[in-house]
Amino acid sequence: MALFDLPLDELRVYRSTSPEPSDFDAFWSKTLQEAREHDLDARFEPVDTGLSTVRVYDVTFAGFGGHPVKGWLTVPAGAEEPLPVVVEFMGYGLGRGLPHEHLLWASTGRAHFVMDTRGQGSGNGGGGATADPIGAGPAYPGYMTRGIESPETYYYRRLFTDAVRAVEAARSHPLVDAARTAVTGISQGGGITLAVGGLVPDLVAVAPDVPFLCHFPRAATVTDRHPYREIGLFLRTHRGRTEDTLRTLSYFDGVHFAARGSAPALFSTALEDMTCPPSTVFAAFNNWAHDDKEIEVYDFNDHEGGGPYQEAAKLRWLRSRL
């Protein structure tokens, strides 16, 4: 695949001109306040996994609407004192999978919390275990247009709220040092990471890889690859709803969350990535508010990005921060 987006020198200064809703902060403050009216009720059940180097807990906590959300908490087997924690969010269609799929971060001596993704997890990988009990109006198959008729009903309002509550759940465990919390994720997980980075003010590190859910107006027109293509296919049928759809999406745009980023950040992007085009990633990166920020660029990669090389980059980067 050839390079299809802007040249790298233009990407490094590229900015989104998409307007931010005037009530963006009020919308999210109200959303999280309503979620916190439900008891977090975080429960950690030990799991016999057959793994000898880690201890694993099957987690349930109350997310958006008080709905039960699942997760895994993994800690080094001999841990006795509170540890720094990495909270991870999953890519599009993925669930929390199985515990043995998530051993990297506990192997560094940190706690690791993986959040399940409501309604997802049935397409591949080890699956998921969290339902999304809220229905929606007409939508294109997938998650991008579920409830898109308004910000209040949009699917990602529920998912981003779950993610903030997942950080709170992880921090509630006695083996977690709440003051040393980092968040990370790839693709959709990277987009969720950006949202959490803008909504949780006291993180110590934020690491979104090839993040999805950024700069929707450009993403929906510069690539015809799914999942962004779901937006165009929905609007192909629902003619005349473009303005309202983009207004809903503006409340969930990683560019706007980035403007509120208050922790050091390590981004990654790939210049041949047609799933999450590099201009959409740079739009969020260039808007990230904290001065301590870096971006790894993979010149000839598609959506796989840096893969294990980016994992190694995060391991190095986090040494001085977590």
Side-chain angles (χ1 to χ4, degrees):
M1 180 186 299
L3 301 180
F4 72 99
D5 208 334
L6 300 173
L8 183 56
D9 59 345
E10 294 182 27
L11 289 171
R12 292 198 182 279
V13 295
Y14 180 75
R15 293 276 185 171
S16 167
T17 58
S18 303
E20 178 185 297
S22 60
D23 63 341
F24 184 90
D25 290 318
F27 172 82
W28 282 106
S29 177
K30 182 174 184 290
T31 295
L32 295 180
Q33 179 182 350
E34 290 175 354
R36 289 172 178 140
E37 290 173 358
H38 301 275
D39 187 350
L40 182 62
D41 192 26
R43 288 165 282 155
F44 301 85
E45 300 293 332
V47 179
D48 182 4
T49 61
L51 301 170
S52 60
T53 61
V54 296
R55 287 149 55 193
V56 179
Y57 299 88
D58 184 352
V59 186
T60 307
F61 65 93
F64 179 90
H67 306 151
V69 178
K70 300 295 289 184
W72 299 120
L73 176 67
T74 304
V75 299
E80 296 181 358
E81 300 295 330
L83 302 169
V85 63
V86 175
V87 180
E88 184 174 6
F89 309 108
M90 304 308 295
Y92 197 76
L94 297 176
R96 65 174 180 168
L98 300 174
H100 64 264
E101 298 180 83
H102 309 288
L103 297 178
L104 175 65
W105 292 110
S107 298
T108 69
R110 302 177 176 97
H112 182 216
F113 188 101
V114 178
M115 186 189 83
D116 203 17
T117 311
R118 65 165 59 218
Q120 299 188 32
S122 296
N124 50 35
T130 300
D132 182 13
I134 295 180
Y140 186 83
Y143 309 96
M144 288 302 298
T145 62
R146 292 188 181 186
I148 205 166
E149 59 268 20
S150 78
E152 288 75 17
T153 58
Y154 190 44
Y155 170 80
Y156 281 97
R157 182 186 184 219
R158 303 191 289 280
L159 187 53
F160 288 176
T161 301
D162 290 347
V164 172
R165 297 287 272 173
V167 171
E168 295 170 359
R171 286 174 158 178
S172 73
H173 194 276
L175 285 177
V176 168
D177 180 353
R180 293 185 290 167
T181 303
V183 292
T184 191
I186 301 171
S187 191
Q188 176 184 255
I192 300 170
T193 295
L194 286 174
V196 173
L199 293 172
V200 179
D202 57 349
L203 302 169
V204 298
V206 175
D209 292 332
V210 291
F212 182 44
L213 308 169
C214 297
H215 197 2
F216 289 108
R218 180 169 176 81
T221 56
V222 76
T223 181
D224 60 1
R225 187 182 289 179
H226 286 253
Y228 281 125
R229 187 57 183 152
E230 292 176 21
I231 299 169
L233 293 174
F234 172 80
L235 292 173
R236 174 185 289 180
T237 300
H238 298 278
R239 300 164 177 82
R241 292 183 59 176
T242 299
E243 183 177 349
D244 289 343
T245 294
L246 291 177
R247 176 183 176 274
T248 291
L249 292 171
S250 68
Y251 287 85
F252 305 91
D253 197 320
V255 170
H256 305 323
F257 289 113
R260 292 153 176 81
S262 58
L266 176 65
F267 284 63
S268 73
T269 189
L271 298 187
E272 294 189 0
D273 187 350
M274 291 193 70
T275 301
C276 295
S279 57
T280 67
V281 177
F282 268 99
F285 173 75
N286 291 330
N287 217 33
W288 188 259
H290 199 281
D291 291 336
D292 184 356
K293 60 183 181 181
E294 304 172 29
I295 185 167
E296 297 284 341
V297 178
Y298 297 95
D299 296 350
F300 291 95
N301 288 92
D302 197 340
H303 194 51
E304 76 280 0
Y309 290 85
Q310 183 60 21
E311 288 181 332
K314 286 195 288 189
L315 288 170
R316 293 190 298 269
W317 182 75
L318 275 174
R319 282 176 185 166
S320 62
R321 294 172 174 84
L322 194 65

